[in-house]
């Protein structure tokens, strides 16, 4: 049956393809007493073999698309399957307790997991607990005869249907086959949206219960331009979506002509157009889209895509690759921003009532538990600085004293490296993200001490409006064009300029085509967005007059009280 849904258009593009459900199947089972233990052992052996076969196939695919390092996690999984202790204990339990294989598997796996998780002084062994959990799920699915979704094995064009996608799941999706993804939760600035934009995969998020409405193999039409999703569309609807996709592709081709053009307004004013990245691999897209800089490298992805804290050398290699890839163009690297919706499998975080208001980002870096990892990251950055033009910024700064502490640690590590004889660039800039209202209000004081600001509107809006950026129910409050937000931004830009400093923006608002004219008018110096928005923004700036945008911004800042009034003004000034 045809069904139409409306979600949040989170990554541009249109697709029509079969659904691939990325949801965990039900793995519940009944504990049974069995007379024939041999039969259970045979079932277990068959499930172990099937799981090993699946894992080696997934590993092979992962190696081809992600590289040997990323694929090595599957070796750890296969090792669990062939561990004689693990397997013999399950078989012993089947025999001694006369239990079915499912119950014995769960009992033995749980006891291994408890032991490994208890080794709090041995992070390596703690990580093994996660491997056992993963592998047990696969063996259990094979015992129960259900299929675990394996995105790495997709070999036909599909639209992924999921509750949400973690950054590592998103990174595994092969663009060749994955034509779009549609999810129950998430919004424009959720991390799945950010990844979709980087990978240039169309995405519609926040659809509520699409995983319940769709079956594997159903045809889906999805538009990341309008947020419309149709399940089992008729021929006419399919044709409509395909036409919209072609029109978008044509528009993209026009924007592509501006790849090597300067970013100048109609009256010749230059703005720096930069791109956001999550991994060194994204640099290619940054250059392909003619970006002038990287305005935000979210280094936490380096931590999230690893099964251990990345070492100083591992980080150095990543930062060096990005700096070199940009050929002397500026690169703003943000120190790690873990917490909120970003967790690490190997780092225990306390359960919090409000993770977005909790122990995250610089708060972790400046705490006793985070000091060593912060210093490691700063050393890696300082060492890499000679390979390009580095700018470092700290996330989630609320207090001037936090910046001072972070800067003091930076200075200390810099002095240490210099005394060790390590070469360090002499033009590194050190700034902060302005994403907490306290910092935006006190920007005049911060501006005396930092080299630059980068406004993180994704968080700044959620904190100013007290509206969770992931929560659909309050998304009406998530208003980038609200005059209160505009005034905060204006305050930050003016404060920086008064001290001769520059201000960038790396939240999604910087690439929002409605917000750009307002931000130009306020004199924002650098706009950093998903690489895929850069050329479109260059095209927009080219046709606007900077003096006229100043007038627009002035009016919006002084004469409006609602988003609607702001939108009317933008319309009037950009027609
Ligand atoms: C922001 O808050 O605007 C930002 C760019 O950081 P993140 O989206 O990673 O929180
Ligand atoms: Mg943020």
């Amino acid at each position: 049956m045809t069904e139409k849904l409306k979600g949040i258009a989170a990554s541009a593009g249109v697709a029509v393809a079969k659904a691939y459900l990325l949801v965990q199947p039900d793995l519940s089972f009944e504990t049974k007493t069995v007379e024939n233990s041999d039969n259970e052992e045979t079932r277990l052996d068959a499930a172990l073999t099937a799981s090993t076969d699946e894992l080696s196939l997934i590993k092979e695919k992962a190696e081809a698309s992600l590289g040997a390092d990323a694929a090595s996690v599957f070796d750890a999984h296969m090792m669990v399957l062939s561990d004689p202790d693990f397997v013999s204990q399950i078989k012993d339990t089947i025999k001694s307790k006369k239990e079915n294989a499912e119950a014995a598997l769960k009992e033995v796996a749980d006891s291994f997991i408890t032991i490994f998780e208890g080794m709090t002084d041995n992070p390596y062994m703690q990580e093994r607990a996660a491997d056992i959990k993963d592998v047990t799920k696969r063996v259990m699915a094979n015992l129960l005869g259900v299929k675990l979704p394996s995105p790495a094995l997709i070999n036909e064009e599909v639209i992924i249907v999921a509750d949400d996608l973690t950054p590592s799941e998103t990174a595994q999706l092969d663009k060749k086959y994955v034509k779009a993804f549609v999810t129950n939760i998430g919004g424009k600035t959720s991390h799945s949206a950010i990844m979709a934009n980087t990978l240039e995969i169309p995405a519609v998020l926040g659809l509520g219960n699409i995983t319940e409405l769709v079956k594997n193999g159903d045809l889906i039409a999805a538009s990341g331009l309008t947020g419309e999703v149709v399940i089992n569309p008729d021929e006419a609807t399919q044709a409509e979506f395909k036409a919209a996709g072609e029109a978008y592709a044509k528009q993209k081709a026009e924007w592509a002509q501006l790849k090597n053009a300067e970013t100048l307004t109609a009256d010749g004013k230059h703005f720096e157009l930069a791109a956001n990245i999550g991994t060194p691999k994204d640099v290619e897209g940054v250059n392909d889209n003619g970006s002038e800089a990287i305005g935000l490298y979210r280094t936490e992805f380096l931590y999230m895509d690893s099964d251990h804290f990345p070492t100083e050398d591992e980080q150095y290699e990543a930062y060096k690759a990005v700096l070199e890839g940009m050929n002397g163009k500026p690169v703003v690297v943000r120190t790690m921003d873990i917490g909120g919706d970003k967790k690490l499998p190997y780092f225990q975080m306390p359960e919090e009532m409000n993770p977005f208001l909790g122990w995250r980002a610089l708060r972790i870096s400046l705490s006793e538990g985070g000091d060593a990892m912060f210093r490691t990251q700063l050393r890696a950055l300082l060492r890499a600085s000679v390979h390009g033009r580095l700018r470092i910024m700290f996330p989630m700064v609320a207090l001037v004293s936090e910046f001072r502490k972070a800067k003091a640690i930076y200075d200390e590590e810099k002095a240490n490296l210099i005394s060790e004889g390590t070469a360090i660039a002499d033009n590194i800039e050190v700034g902060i993200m302005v994403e907490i209202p306290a910092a935006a209000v006190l920007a005049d004081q911060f501006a005396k001490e930092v080299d630059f600001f980068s406004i993180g509107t994704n968080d700044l809006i959620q904190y100013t409006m007290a509206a969770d950026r992931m929560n659909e129910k309050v998304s009406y409050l998530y208003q980038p064009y609200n005059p209160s937000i505009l005034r905060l931004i204006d305050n930050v830009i003016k404060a920086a300029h008064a001290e001769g400093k520059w201000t960038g923006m790396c939240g999604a608002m910087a690439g929002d085509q409605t917000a750009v004219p307002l931000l130009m008018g306020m004199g924002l110096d650098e706009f950093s967005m998903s690489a895929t928005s850069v050329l479109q923004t260059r095209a927009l700036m080219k046709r606007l007059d900077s003096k006229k945008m100043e007038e627009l911004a002035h009016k919006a800042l002084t004469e409006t009280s609602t988003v609607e009034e702001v939108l009317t003004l933008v319309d009037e000034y950009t027609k």
Side-chain angles (χ1 to χ4, degrees):
M1 201 183 65
T2 299
E3 192 151 2
K4 288 189 181 162
L5 306 170
K6 181 89 197 230
I8 296 165
S11 177
V14 182
V16 180
K18 277 198 267 180
Y20 183 97
L21 269 121
L22 201 58
V23 284
Q24 291 303 323
D26 181 7
L27 295 180
S28 56
F29 63 90
E30 259 177 69
T31 302
K32 288 187 203 148
T33 309
V34 288
E35 286 314 316
N36 187 347
S37 298
D38 288 349
N39 189 28
E40 290 307 296
E41 285 190 31
T42 311
R43 287 183 61 230
L44 178 70
D45 284 333
L48 291 170
T49 310
S51 303
T52 310
D53 291 349
E54 284 170 15
L55 281 170
S56 43
L57 205 61
I58 293 172
K59 186 191 160 202
E60 207 178 288
K61 289 265 182 185
E63 231 161 33
S65 58
L66 300 170
D69 265 6
S72 66
V73 59
F74 299 110
D75 282 329
H77 289 189
M78 284 192 273
M79 245 149 73
V80 176
L81 288 178
S82 57
D83 178 348
D85 255 6
F86 185 62
V87 176
S88 65
Q89 279 199 37
I90 304 171
K91 289 189 175 171
D92 288 350
T93 308
I94 291 177
K95 270 202 215 91
S96 62
K97 295 200 168 171
K98 296 218 162 300
E99 270 179 359
N100 52 340
E102 288 88 341
L105 168 67
K106 170 132 186 15
E107 251 177 71
V108 173
D110 283 352
S111 73
F112 271 67
I113 291 164
T114 310
I115 294 168
F116 287 149
E117 282 184 342
M119 297 182 176
T120 44
D121 52 352
N122 188 339
Y124 175 80
M125 294 312 281
Q126 281 195 310
E127 284 161 28
R128 300 288 75 78
D131 293 335
I132 295 175
K133 274 185 206 164
D134 256 30
V135 168
T136 305
K137 246 199 280 176
R138 186 166 296 280
V139 180
M140 191 65 86
N142 276 310
L143 276 173
L144 294 168
V146 294
K147 273 260 158 287
L148 276 191
S150 306
L153 299 184
I154 295 172
N155 57 5
E156 59 175 343
E157 291 195 352
V158 295
I159 291 181
I160 299 279
V161 182
D163 183 45
D164 190 14
L165 282 163
T166 64
S168 57
E169 275 169 339
T170 317
Q172 281 181 46
L173 302 178
D174 185 343
K175 257 182 71 176
K176 191 160 124 213
Y177 298 121
V178 175
K179 293 293 144 194
F181 62 75
V182 296
T183 66
N184 291 342
I185 62 169
K188 264 194 191 325
T189 69
S190 63
H191 287 86
S192 42
I194 291 163
M195 295 292 289
N197 273 293
T198 308
L199 293 166
E200 294 191 53
I201 295 178
V204 182
L205 311 182
L207 285 154
N209 62 342
I210 183 138
T211 49
E212 286 159 32
L213 304 174
V214 168
K215 290 188 307 301
N216 264 321
D218 277 350
L219 193 69
I220 297 189
S223 169
L225 298 167
T226 61
E228 282 165 305
V229 172
V230 184
I231 305 169
N232 292 322
D234 57 26
E235 298 267 333
T237 311
Q238 288 178 44
E240 229 174 81
F241 274 73
K242 282 182 183 155
E246 280 157 23
Y248 178 68
K250 200 168 147 219
Q251 174 122 73
K252 262 177 82 171
E254 269 167 39
W255 293 331
Q257 313 233 322
L258 295 175
K259 184 176 156 184
N260 299 315
E262 262 191 282
T263 310
L264 293 176
T265 60
D267 57 329
K269 180 168 174 179
H270 174 253
F271 290 97
E272 185 164 283
L273 270 189
N276 296 347
I277 64 163
T279 79
K281 278 192 292 187
D282 300 339
V283 174
E284 195 184 327
V286 171
N287 288 320
D288 284 351
N289 284 286
S291 315
E292 293 160 58
I294 286 172
L296 169 63
Y297 174 6
R298 288 183 164 93
T299 57
E300 53 276 7
F301 287 108
L302 198 67
Y303 292 69
M304 291 160 89
D305 286 344
S306 173
D307 60 0
H308 58 272
F309 275 116
T311 62
E312 186 180 312
D313 282 345
E314 284 168 345
Q315 294 193 52
Y316 165 78
E317 291 300 335
Y319 305 147
K320 177 178 167 223
V322 172
L323 286 160
E324 283 185 347
M326 288 303 288
N327 268 321
K329 291 182 192 152
V331 175
V332 181
V333 181
R334 170 171 83 183
T335 59
M336 71 96 199
D337 184 2
I338 299 300
D341 63 339
K342 294 172 280 197
K343 301 237 161 32
L344 301 179
Y346 49 87
F347 182 55
Q348 287 278 326
M349 304 262 300
E351 277 301 317
E352 296 180 314
M353 292 278 282
N354 293 299
F356 272 107
L357 300 180
W359 195 51
R360 58 175 287 204
L362 192 66
R363 298 162 183 195
I364 298 179
S365 300
L366 294 180
S367 69
E368 212 185 315
D371 180 74
M373 112 174 101
F374 188 44
R375 286 177 189 272
T376 301
Q377 179 165 35
L378 290 173
R379 286 173 65 88
L381 279 167
L382 283 158
R383 280 173 51 201
S385 66
V386 291
H387 298 288
R389 186 150 159 228
L390 178 64
R391 297 166 169 170
I392 297 175
M393 71 177 168
F394 306 123
M396 291 290 291
V397 178
L399 308 173
V400 171
S401 62
E402 286 175 318
F403 173 72
R404 288 183 187 150
K405 271 190 209 153
K407 181 74 187 336
I409 295 174
Y410 165 87
D411 287 336
E412 235 174 82
E413 289 307 327
K414 188 171 165 183
N416 287 341
L417 282 166
I418 291 172
S419 71
E420 290 162 22
T422 309
I424 290 166
D426 58 7
N427 61 351
I428 306 173
E429 291 173 73
V430 181
I432 61 166
M433 287 198 66
V434 179
E435 52 187 339
I436 296 179
V441 171
L442 209 61
D444 57 334
Q445 298 304 318
F446 277 100
K448 297 185 198 319
E449 309 196 21
V450 303
D451 292 329
F452 68 92
F453 291 136
S454 182
I455 306 174
T457 47
N458 302 344
D459 280 318
L460 185 64
I461 298 168
Q462 76 164 345
Y463 297 139
T464 306
M465 306 304 285
D468 185 340
R469 70 197 240 189
M470 306 283 280
N471 186 337
E472 254 326 279
K473 287 235 164 38
V474 294
S475 63
Y476 72 100
L477 283 165
Y478 195 90
Q479 299 187 341
Y481 327 123
N482 187 293
S484 62
I485 302 292
L486 300 182
R487 287 190 192 186
L488 273 181
I489 293 170
D490 186 59
N491 188 55
V492 177
I493 299 171
K494 284 211 171 77
H497 290 176
E499 294 292 334
K501 312 285 168 68
W502 60 272
T503 298
M505 179 180 287
C506 57
M509 192 173 170
D512 176 327
Q513 302 296 293
T514 305
V516 166
L518 290 160
L519 299 169
M520 288 165 69
M522 289 186 229
L524 186 74
D525 302 285
E526 177 236 38
F527 294 65
S528 193
M529 58 199 71
S530 71
T532 47
S533 300
V534 166
L535 292 172
Q536 181 181 12
T537 307
R538 183 168 292 153
L540 174 66
M541 287 180 167
K542 222 166 114 63
R543 69 175 183 83
L544 298 176
D545 179 276
S546 72
K547 287 279 172 291
K548 211 166 147 198
M549 294 309 107
E550 279 171 25
E551 222 179 282
L552 158 68
H554 180 73
K555 278 205 169 178
L557 287 163
T558 54
E559 295 175 14
T560 65
S561 58
T562 66
V563 166
E564 291 71 25
E565 287 165 12
V566 173
L567 290 176
T568 308
L569 274 178
V570 173
D571 239 23
E572 200 181 299
Y573 275 81
T574 58
K575 265 204 294 271

